Amino acid sequence: MKKLKFALFFLLAINVILLAYIIKINYKKQGVSMQLRQTRQSIYDMFSIDSADIVFIGDSQTQRFNTQEFFPNIKIKNRGIDSDGSFGLLNRLDSIISGCPKKVFIQIGTNDIKGGLALSETVSNIKKALRKIKINCPSTYIYIQSVLPRGDTYAPEVVKLNNLIQGLCKSEGVSYVDIYTPFLKEGLLNKQYEIGDGLHLNGNGYLLWAKILYPLL
């Protein structure tokens, strides 16, 4: 009986230690991620936006889009931030619309899905962003891009979110850009266009994305 109690106590202690370690690692990751976002935003703050700019707003998929190379003759400012979500978009929107850019291309939501945020909350945040841009910058043309396909268990949620975003764009009278379908293969992100993590694009993926957007720029 004593051996059984000792074994149970030992297993409990191990589980507590493992849980504490996991929590510590997660907090560390969140801290690093926050530092990276703050660094990226501090760089963006150094370069103001004006009415001649076309601004790309989004998460890591947008941040990694080398827009200067793909569109060398177009005045584009990339404002993608790794790990960003719809709440982050809202929180930093003022710095983007302060100059009332010519056009904005928004692509957000995949991190909301992974983080467990309700799809309705994501759409609500995008709606708030749209209306804020409309009120403060009525001449700014707004494009909402779909969320890209994923190659993991979150793939079905992307479909649901894109349907909601498309409906929002219709009701708000803004342009919806489908970048989901061209990257799709058998319900998932086409491996031809991703780096192996089922989420982020490779060079060919960004080339395809650039071809989709070029006529709209």
Side-chain angles (χ1 to χ4, degrees):
M1 188 69 177
K2 289 183 178 180
K3 290 183 178 180
L4 178 60
K5 288 183 178 179
F6 178 79
L8 291 173
F9 177 79
F10 180 76
L11 289 174
L12 178 62
I14 292 296
N15 286 332
V16 170
I17 293 172
L18 286 174
L19 179 61
Y21 178 76
I22 291 171
I23 292 173
K24 181 179 179 181
I25 292 298
N26 285 337
Y27 274 122
K28 184 176 181 181
K29 286 182 178 179
Q30 289 174 8
V32 171
S33 181
M34 180 60 71
Q35 289 176 355
L36 292 174
R37 289 198 293 270
Q38 290 173 342
T39 298
R40 178 63 56 175
Q41 185 60 54
S42 69
I43 294 173
Y44 292 157
D45 289 342
M46 296 173 66
F47 303 95
S48 60
I49 292 170
D50 61 44
S51 60
D53 286 323
I54 296 173
V55 182
F56 283 28
I57 313 169
D59 48 39
S60 59
Q61 292 168 328
T62 296
Q63 181 181 314
R64 299 182 187 193
F65 198 159
N66 292 323
T67 51
Q68 294 89 344
E69 284 77 12
F70 281 107
F71 311 110
N73 300 316
I74 300 174
K75 192 178 180 186
I76 293 176
K77 284 191 169 70
N78 189 319
R79 292 295 182 265
I81 291 186
D82 196 350
S83 302
D84 205 12
S86 60
F87 278 107
L89 167 67
L90 277 176
N91 290 337
R92 61 193 182 92
L93 193 59
D94 286 342
S95 64
I96 294 170
I97 64 176
S98 60
C100 289
K102 181 180 179 181
K103 299 178 181 180
V104 294
F105 286 80
I106 298 174
Q107 200 266 344
I108 204 79
T110 195
N111 290 315
D112 285 0
I113 291 174
K114 186 176 180 180
L117 188 68
L119 301 183
S120 59
E121 194 75 15
T122 297
V123 175
S124 175
N125 288 337
I126 296 174
K127 183 177 182 178
K128 291 175 183 176
L130 291 178
R131 294 194 170 179
K132 190 168 187 176
I133 296 171
K134 285 181 176 181
I135 292 171
N136 292 277
C137 303
S139 63
T140 297
Y141 203 93
I142 305 169
Y143 295 90
I144 305 297
Q145 302 172 84
S146 62
V147 176
L148 286 164
R150 296 182 66 118
D152 54 26
T153 56
Y154 300 106
E157 295 301 300
V158 173
V159 177
K160 297 176 185 177
L161 180 56
N162 282 337
N163 287 336
L164 291 173
I165 292 175
Q166 188 171 15
L168 173 67
C169 290
K170 185 176 181 179
S171 64
E172 292 292 316
V174 299
S175 295
Y176 175 78
V177 184
D178 178 17
I179 59 172
Y180 175 84
T181 304
F183 285 92
L184 194 64
K185 185 175 182 180
E186 297 177 354
L188 302 174
L189 177 59
N190 191 331
K191 293 183 179 296
Q192 177 184 349
Y193 299 121
E194 53 111 341
I195 62 174
D197 63 355
L199 177 63
H200 294 99
L201 303 180
N202 58 23
N204 287 329
Y206 279 109
L207 179 60
L208 175 58
W209 195 352
K211 288 179 178 178
I212 295 169
L213 296 186
Y214 184 75
L216 305 175
L217 300 177

